[in-house]
Amino acid sequence: MTHHSLFEPLRLGELALRNRIVMAPMTRNRAAADGVPTPMMAEHYGQRASAGLIVAEGTWPSVTGQAYCRQPGIETEAHIAGWRRVTDAVHARGGLIVLQVMHGGRIGSHRIKPPGVETVAPSAIRASGEVWTDAAGMLPYDTPRALSTEEVRAVVAEHAQAALNARAAGFDGVELHGTSGYLAMQFLSSATNHRADEYGGDAVARSRFAFECLQAMARAIGAGRVGLRLNPGNTYNDTADEDSAATHAELLRQAATLNLAYLHVMKSPVPEIDAFAIARQHFGERLIVNDGFSPDSAASAVTAGQAQAVSFARHFIGNPDLAERIRAGLPLARFDRKTLYTAGEAGYVDYPSA
Ligand SMILES: Cc1cc2nc3c(=O)[nH]c(=O)nc-3n(C[C@H](O)[C@H](O)[C@H](O)COP(=O)(O)O)c2cc1C
């Protein structure tokens, strides 16, 4: 089958993509212990620069939001300098790269963060499950402390600062992580948000935190450089919502007023929820769709106008030159699950180009 539709250039806000093959964000835990991006991360992302757009992995705006060991940050001058190596490597090969801003909220452990740094969330409700800590192995998630209203506003401001820092590091834009049970989704979801202030209650109020983060980031660096990632019906990290489709529709109605660069929407795990239809109805025509696409199904989705671009995560692990392979009709390589989150170069910078 022909994949021509994936190689039409595309404009998403201020982002000019040379093709419609997007690299989805992937946490790979290769930063230093203090969240500073390492030279091997520059090599990894540079190898993947032929994507139309790279969304770099979920990155914390402040260390309170660090969810995982060796997860990068975008808070300090050292973070900015480390990421600068990454963006330079991608730009040198003609690529485009945005940073996914991810505050973990209640997903995390004090043993992952520096001494004295708390774990915070909309409400003091612990997530079931455990998280890996380099200090003490697997540990249960912390019981978070509920943020005060003032503190919520401060976290919103941290998102704006993260966007400014990302630009200082050379990123072309940022994407707010609104899925997978991290902070923005903890606010959205009725099971994790029991607040009585303006950030809790009905879907309008539960959408407020994500909306204000997007608005603050847009004011900081321009709406045309800000994207949003959503996955209606997602229950990852012990989240649940009384009506996820309706809540997401409400957030999208709010977000649509901002004229953002794009919406990055994943297929819903709930069969009754058509996430792409909700996205088209409430957000419009700047959609990147994701989850389980092959080159063939991606080309069909773009040709049919279901979306303007498609993102791939797992295919990019073993195929650094995924876009080139799709263009040439070459077979795709597999990857090794054992090295997904390990610290070294193996399984990270050693997959060859075709
Ligand atoms: C190793 C790994 C790490 C991931 N990390 C993130 C992340 O940091 N942020 C995010 O939004 N999604 C993350 N995801 C989800 C992917 O972006 C993507 O939505 C998912 O893998 C489905 O797409 P695919 O079928 O093309 O792999 C991760 C997935 C994998 C496999």
Side-chain angles (χ1 to χ4, degrees), residues 24-28 57-58 100 102 177 179 229 266 290-293 311-314 317 340-341:
M26 277 181 284
T27 294
R28 300 294 306 275
E57 67 208 78
Q100 188 183 53
M102 168 186 152
H177 195 335
T179 80
R229 188 163 216 222
M266 296 168 67
N290 170 254
D291 204 352
F293 280 90
S311 76
F312 300 89
R314 287 164 292 181
I317 298 173
L340 278 181
Y341 306 113

Side-chain angles (χ1 to χ4, degrees), residues 175-197:
E175 173 180 294
L176 178 68
H177 195 335
T179 80
S180 306
Y182 301 111
L183 186 62
M185 198 173 201
Q186 290 160 32
F187 272 95
L188 270 186
S189 306
S190 54
T192 44
N193 182 345
H194 293 178
R195 300 181 69 88
D197 65 2

Side-chain angles (χ1 to χ4, degrees), residues 41-235:
M41 289 169 65
E43 195 179 344
H44 172 81
Y45 284 110
Q47 290 169 345
R48 287 158 178 78
S50 60
L53 174 68
I54 294 173
V55 184
E57 67 208 78
T59 297
W60 36 274
S62 68
V63 72
T64 317
Q66 181 175 4
Y68 302 113
C69 292
R70 290 167 275 107
Q71 185 189 15
I74 187 70
E75 184 177 23
T76 68
E77 287 300 325
H79 295 148
I80 293 171
W83 277 121
R84 171 58 79 173
R85 286 192 292 249
V86 174
T87 61
D88 281 349
V90 171
H91 290 149
R93 300 188 198 187
L96 207 58
I97 182 168
V98 298
L99 182 67
Q100 188 183 53
V101 178
M102 168 186 152
H103 191 301
R106 68 180 189 155
I107 299 304
S109 163
H110 60 287
R111 295 303 301 271
I112 288 172
K113 307 173 214 198
V117 178
E118 292 178 289
T119 298
V120 296
S123 300
I125 304 166
R126 200 182 75 80
S128 66
E130 297 188 319
V131 61
W132 172 260
T133 70
D134 285 342
M138 295 301 288
L139 286 179
Y141 291 116
D142 285 346
T143 299
R145 184 176 64 74
L147 292 159
S148 70
T149 306
E150 275 309 299
E151 287 172 327
V152 175
R153 296 191 185 117
V155 177
V156 170
E158 286 171 6
H159 282 72
Q161 188 60 50
L164 289 168
N165 292 351
R167 289 290 283 155
F171 282 100
D172 298 291
V174 294
E175 173 180 294
L176 178 68
H177 195 335
T179 80
S180 306
Y182 301 111
L183 186 62
M185 198 173 201
Q186 290 160 32
F187 272 95
L188 270 186
S189 306
S190 54
T192 44
N193 182 345
H194 293 178
R195 300 181 69 88
D197 65 2
E198 68 257 40
Y199 295 99
D202 62 10
V204 176
R206 295 199 313 275
S207 300
R208 194 180 316 276
F209 173 76
F211 173 77
E212 287 186 0
C213 286
L214 292 166
Q215 186 181 46
M217 295 194 300
R219 282 183 183 147
I221 65 168
R225 296 188 181 278
V226 177
L228 167 63
R229 188 163 216 222
L230 292 178
N231 183 12
N234 179 300
T235 57

